[in-house]
Amino acid sequence: MNRINWKDRIVIEPDIHHGSPCIKNTRISVSIIIGSLADGMSPDEIIEEYPQLTKQDIYAVLSYAAEVLDQENLIPIHS
């Protein structure tokens, strides 16, 4: 299975949501979708909440997150 190209679905524009990555043609931020998944929502539940989204948008968010994490120097957080 090929990973979706997030650049087709996610934009970063200074005048939209303060430059946070968002789904193209919406003001729904990547962080909202990642947070919803982390809270246990399924892609279908997220789409029910935000009907303008598609599963491909959600997969694009995950693809974006994977690429960002590959480029970051991660520091362990101790609790």
Side-chain angles (χ1 to χ4, degrees):
M1 181 178 204
N2 292 329
R3 183 176 287 180
I4 191 166
N5 183 358
W6 63 264
K7 294 173 187 170
D8 294 336
R9 296 178 175 270
I10 295 175
V11 295
I12 302 170
E13 297 180 10
D15 57 337
I16 297 176
H17 216 274
H18 306 286
S20 294
C22 293
I23 300 298
K24 191 180 282 189
N25 300 319
T26 76
R27 291 184 175 274
I28 302 169
S29 69
V30 165
S31 64
I32 295 264
I33 297 170
I34 292 288
S36 297
L37 291 166
D39 288 342
M41 290 180 75
S42 70
D44 290 332
E45 290 171 323
I46 295 169
I47 292 167
E48 280 182 37
E49 190 73 25
Y50 303 99
Q52 62 271 49
L53 296 179
T54 67
K55 282 190 180 178
Q56 296 302 317
D57 293 327
I58 294 169
Y59 297 143
V61 164
L62 294 172
S63 178
Y64 173 80
E67 189 169 321
V68 167
L69 287 172
D70 280 345
Q71 296 177 12
E72 291 294 318
N73 294 322
L74 301 177
I75 300 169
I77 298 175
H78 301 284
S79 51

